[in-house]
Amino acid sequence: NLKPTITISGNKATYEGSVNLTDAYNSIYEYHKKNAKIKLEPKEEYIRTYYFNSMIKTHLSASKYSKIDIDEANYTVHTVIPDGIVNTDRNIITFDNPMAISDLVIFSNFSIAILDTTYNYTIDGDILTLTYERHDTGQRFNIYYELKFKKVQN
């Protein structure tokens, strides 16, 4: 349920997006409940303690350039990532510490929060597509993200 926008003005870009993690958390809990060898806490307590507090809050706090608002009651995270640099010669946009773009959808990855991340972009009519690919050490395949944005105004 990611609802991103990207605003580009000259060579600067700002990313803004919100994600609701309710369905993902419910699925994770049901999986762990089914496969657990011990009795789990009630769902709300388990999700809030293990996933929301430890993973989301800890990992997102590492992203020092992003503005992050967390709605604990509704498992929603809203993020604004300012000061992206647009390089039209190379068709890339680089953000400092772009936690929400690159990994929030899969519950984040601390290492991404402390790195600059460069996204390739293409423009096809009114559609801007950002893509990101990185090698995941020890895996046979690269991790690949793609976000599409529809132009809504000049």
Side-chain angles (χ1 to χ4, degrees):
N1 193 17
L2 188 65
K3 297 176 183 170
T5 61
I6 192 162
T7 304
I8 298 174
S9 180
N11 68 343
K12 293 285 188 182
T14 299
Y15 170 89
E16 183 172 359
S18 294
V19 63
N20 183 294
L21 299 170
T22 301
D23 291 340
Y25 284 152
N26 286 335
S27 295
I28 288 170
Y29 180 79
E30 292 305 319
Y31 173 82
H32 285 278
K33 183 178 173 185
K34 178 180 168 186
N35 296 300
K37 303 209 184 305
I38 59 171
K39 183 175 172 148
L40 298 180
E41 303 97 319
K43 184 187 327 186
E44 291 295 319
E45 181 181 338
Y46 181 79
I47 290 170
R48 188 166 320 284
T49 301
Y50 183 70
Y51 288 100
F52 207 77
N53 287 340
S54 67
M55 295 182 86
I56 296 299
K57 285 184 178 178
T58 301
H59 291 187
L60 288 178
S61 67
S63 185
K64 62 185 175 182
Y65 299 110
S66 301
K67 179 182 180 284
I68 299 164
D69 296 309
I70 299 172
D71 178 350
E72 291 184 51
N74 296 305
Y75 301 132
T76 302
V77 178
H78 176 258
T79 304
V80 176
I81 305 170
D83 302 324
I85 304 296
V86 179
N87 182 327
T88 56
D89 294 333
R90 296 180 54 210
N91 282 18
I92 60 172
I93 300 175
T94 302
F95 286 95
D96 284 337
N97 310 102
M99 179 57 89
I101 295 177
S102 58
D103 262 12
L104 178 61
V105 180
I106 58 168
F107 303 118
S108 86
N109 176 341
F110 183 80
S111 64
I112 297 301
I114 58 174
L115 302 173
D116 293 349
T117 302
T118 298
Y119 299 85
N120 294 302
Y121 73 84
T122 58
I123 299 173
D124 185 16
D126 284 349
I127 305 296
L128 168 74
T129 302
L130 288 183
T131 57
Y132 170 73
E133 186 171 4
R134 74 174 163 95
H135 178 70
D136 193 14
T137 306
Q139 301 296 321
R140 293 176 50 189
F141 303 100
N142 288 350
I143 293 175
Y144 179 83
Y145 300 98
E146 179 178 279
L147 287 173
K148 292 185 181 280
F149 300 87
K150 182 174 175 141
K151 184 177 181 179
V152 293
Q153 63 183 329
N154 287 327

